[in-house]
Amino acid sequence: MGEILSSITGAIVNLVIFSLIPVLWWFFRHRKEVGFFKWIGLYKPQLKSQWWVLIIFAAVYYFFYSFDFTQLIDAKSLEYLENSASVSGNAYAGMGAAAIVPALIENFIANGVAEEILFRGFLCKRLCSKFGTVPGIILQGVLFALMHNILYLVIGMEVSLWYHVLMFVFTAMGALLLGWLNEKIYNGSIIPSIILHGAGNFISTMLAVFG
């Protein structure tokens, strides 16, 4: 029960923090033009590409997400990550089935909804509007990856420069794919990326718990 309450609290805090800038930006600049949910992309997704494009995307995303990039990490960084309390998935180690509900809350709300609102809903759409769809998608991917690098540095994660490079490349690629899914395959709704982001993180956490 304690883990569930902790996950709910963390999810609410994340959601508030990540939504603060988008809400304020919308309130002071766009509230008279459009509702917040539509502006940020929280509306029903509609496929605007051919169905086979979605199939190709699914295959690419599956192979990208299932690729074990830990085999590229240096041994010292990998050992540190496997034992660090700062790695969210490690918090659920040894909990078994009791980890499912708190992990669902954390992965879908704290990660999926909160991060997608800020990066794919706010940043990606603003950048696409200013620089064009493809440059905007690429730029938000770069910023999303840099956020993870900076976070690791701020909390003092003892990982190598090579790990930072790998994390940047793989995180940027994941963000690029999520942005592409929303803006090029669907109708700008961020719900597809919320579902995919949350599910991907949840599966990774469950693999850490039961693997």
Side-chain angles (χ1 to χ4, degrees), residues 96-148:
I100 294 175
V101 173
L104 270 172
I105 295 169
E106 178 179 344
N107 294 147
F108 276 93
I109 306 300
N111 300 138
V113 176
E115 292 183 4
E116 292 307 307
I117 284 177
L118 178 59
F119 285 94
R120 257 63 67 188
F122 176 66
L123 280 176
C124 187
K125 291 186 181 302
R126 306 293 77 74
L127 292 169
C128 287
S129 176
K130 187 172 182 62
F131 301 109
T133 303
V134 174
I137 291 172
I138 293 172
L139 282 171
Q140 64 83 26
V142 170
L143 292 172
F144 186 70
L146 283 175
M147 182 268 288
H148 285 77

Side-chain angles (χ1 to χ4, degrees), residues 47-135:
L47 187 66
K48 69 176 186 179
S49 295
Q50 298 293 326
W51 63 268
W52 54 267
V53 175
L54 184 59
I55 298 298
I56 293 173
F57 174 89
V60 170
Y61 193 84
Y62 171 79
F63 285 112
F64 165 78
Y65 211 91
S66 62
F67 178 76
D68 182 16
F69 88 101
T70 58
Q71 61 188 304
L72 303 176
I73 302 174
D74 57 286
K76 185 178 180 181
S77 293
L78 185 58
E79 182 181 3
Y80 174 81
L81 291 166
E82 288 176 341
N83 296 283
S84 174
S86 298
V87 177
S88 59
N90 292 344
Y92 300 111
M95 288 180 59
I100 294 175
V101 173
L104 270 172
I105 295 169
E106 178 179 344
N107 294 147
F108 276 93
I109 306 300
N111 300 138
V113 176
E115 292 183 4
E116 292 307 307
I117 284 177
L118 178 59
F119 285 94
R120 257 63 67 188
F122 176 66
L123 280 176
C124 187
K125 291 186 181 302
R126 306 293 77 74
L127 292 169
C128 287
S129 176
K130 187 172 182 62
F131 301 109
T133 303
V134 174

